[in-house]
């Protein structure tokens, strides 16, 4: 009824705005009651919900930041561990290489020493075989010389005396032959 037509006596088409104080007061009371009801029923839960959501978002952002920092710290720690592991692996590799080189030098030295011992033993064995063969040859030559002298003379020659004579001659000849070597 706010807009009640005002009919003036002769005018049929014009409207006039009538303000009734009673209805203004009722409208203000309705507005205040509606405002208080909305504030209590709707505004409080909505603000609490928005505040709770803002708190959850803030906590999520803080947790994300903490996770990012923790991930960065872990990444740095992993890099340090990898650097340490690489350094230790390099040190182990260097030690192993040095040990292998030292072992190779030691093996070469031992092989050279063993080769020298084998050559010396071969020389000694050859010398012994030479001396043994020479002694055997002297004995055979002496026996043949005694046998030949016995046949030439036609009589038995004292083998012991004759053998000593031949041995002495061979020693003198060996000394002359040995001096040429």
């Amino acid at each position: 009824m706010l807009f009640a037509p005002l009919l003036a006596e002769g005018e049929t088409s014009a409207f006039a705005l009538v303000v009734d104080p009673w209805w203004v007061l009722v409208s203000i009371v309705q507005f205040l009651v509606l405002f208080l009801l909305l504030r209590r029923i709707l505004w409080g839960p909505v603000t609490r919900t928005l505040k709770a959501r803002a708190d959850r978002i803030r906590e999520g952002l803080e947790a994300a930041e903490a996770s990012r920092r923790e991930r960065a710290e872990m990444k740095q720690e992993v890099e340090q561990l990898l650097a340490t592991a690489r350094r230790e692996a390099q040190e182990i590799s260097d030690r192993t290489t040095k040990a292998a080189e030292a072992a190779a030098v030691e093996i070469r030295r031992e092989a050279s020493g063993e080769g020298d011992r084998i050559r010396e033993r071969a020389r000694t064995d050859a010398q012994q075989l030479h001396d043994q063969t020479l002694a055997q040859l002297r004995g055979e030559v002496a026996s043949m010389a005694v046998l030949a002298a016995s046949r030439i003379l036609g009589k038995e020659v004292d083998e012991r005396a004759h053998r000593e004579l031949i041995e002495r001659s061979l020693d003198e000849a060996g000394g002359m032959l040995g001096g040429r070597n």
Side-chain angles (χ1 to χ4, degrees):
M1 280 211 91
L2 286 174
F3 298 106
L6 231 178
L7 294 177
E9 284 190 25
E11 289 187 35
T12 57
S13 64
F15 291 99
L17 181 60
V18 177
V19 177
D20 190 6
W22 170 252
W23 287 113
V24 171
L25 184 66
V26 169
S27 293
I28 291 173
V29 169
Q30 284 178 346
F31 176 77
L32 289 175
V33 168
L34 183 63
F35 177 75
L36 291 173
L37 284 174
L38 286 178
R39 187 170 177 205
R40 184 165 290 243
I41 294 171
L42 184 63
W43 186 255
V46 168
T47 55
R48 282 192 301 271
T49 303
L50 289 176
K51 186 177 183 222
R53 183 173 180 205
D55 290 342
R56 281 195 310 270
I57 290 172
R58 187 174 25 262
E59 288 172 1
L61 290 175
E62 289 172 357
E65 181 65 24
S67 294
R68 186 192 62 77
R69 281 192 308 266
E70 185 177 334
R71 188 177 61 239
E73 290 172 2
M74 289 178 123
K75 183 178 179 183
Q76 185 178 11
E77 185 177 330
V78 165
E79 288 175 359
Q80 288 175 347
L81 289 173
L82 283 174
T84 302
R86 285 185 186 116
R87 188 174 51 251
E88 288 175 0
Q90 184 63 38
E91 289 172 1
I92 289 171
S93 174
D94 291 344
R95 282 194 310 255
T96 305
T97 302
K98 288 178 183 177
E101 289 172 355
V105 167
E106 181 64 22
I107 290 170
R108 283 189 202 112
R109 187 182 59 75
E110 287 177 5
S112 175
E114 185 66 23
D116 291 344
R117 283 190 294 276
I118 289 172
R119 279 193 292 276
E120 188 58 37
R121 193 176 324 126
R123 272 192 214 111
T124 305
D125 290 347
Q127 185 63 40
Q128 286 176 352
L129 184 61
H130 177 265
D131 293 344
Q132 204 174 31
T133 305
L134 189 58
Q136 187 179 7
L137 185 60
R138 280 184 177 181
E140 288 178 15
V141 167
S143 297
M144 288 169 65
V146 168
L147 183 62
S150 297
R151 286 193 181 166
I152 291 175
L153 294 175
K155 66 174 186 171
E156 184 77 24
V157 178
D158 181 18
E159 186 176 332
R160 190 178 56 79
H162 197 267
R163 185 174 289 273
E164 287 177 9
L165 178 65
I166 292 174
E167 287 290 328
R168 212 174 327 130
S169 297
L170 284 175
D171 284 338
E172 290 174 6
M176 288 190 280
L177 289 176
R180 287 192 300 189
N181 288 341

